[in-house]
Amino acid sequence: MSETFVRACGLSELEEDTPKRVELGGTPVALVRTEGEVYAINDICSHANVSLSEGEVEDCAIECWLHGSSFDLRTGKPSGLPATRPVPVYPVKIEGDDVLVSVTQES
């Protein structure tokens, strides 16, 4: 399947280390601007059905506010319990002030 990128938000709308929740084609996505990059990760924790975008960002990871599992923004892999399953991450492109995300191909 080929990637289809859609506009998620403006780059200027993303504050450093502050997750922003968007919905793209019915998929909840947490966008995070950190360490000079923008990452897109599925917004639902794989351990509990809660929004990751309500958590803290540190060291290129997002922490679930409910139980404290942290997920790598690059890979979606959890770094500790209670989560054991990764969450999907999505490709991101920046064009001007537009943040484009493809939710058609998960990695």
Side-chain angles (χ1 to χ4, degrees):
M1 182 182 344
S2 65
E3 294 178 330
T4 303
F5 285 85
V6 296
R7 185 180 188 279
C9 70
L11 185 60
S12 58
E13 296 174 53
L14 295 177
E15 295 180 40
E16 187 78 10
D17 296 331
T18 302
K20 177 179 180 69
R21 180 186 169 101
V22 296
E23 195 158 305
L24 303 173
T27 302
V29 176
L31 296 172
V32 178
R33 184 178 191 171
T34 188
E35 299 178 9
E37 297 288 332
V38 175
Y39 299 94
I41 190 167
N42 191 284
D43 193 40
I44 305 301
C45 179
S46 63
H47 169 255
N49 190 23
V50 297
S51 178
L52 291 175
S53 62
E54 295 177 29
E56 301 284 320
V57 173
E58 188 175 339
D59 297 328
C60 210
I62 190 166
E63 183 181 72
C64 177
W65 62 269
L66 188 59
H67 295 117
S69 287
S70 195
F71 297 88
D72 189 303
L73 291 168
R74 298 164 291 224
T75 65
K77 292 180 180 168
S79 61
L81 297 174
T84 58
R85 290 179 295 122
V87 294
V89 294
Y90 308 104
V92 175
K93 289 195 305 190
I94 307 298
E95 291 183 359
D97 186 54
D98 293 333
V99 176
L100 308 174
V101 177
S102 174
V103 294
T104 55
Q105 182 177 343
E106 299 176 357
S107 56

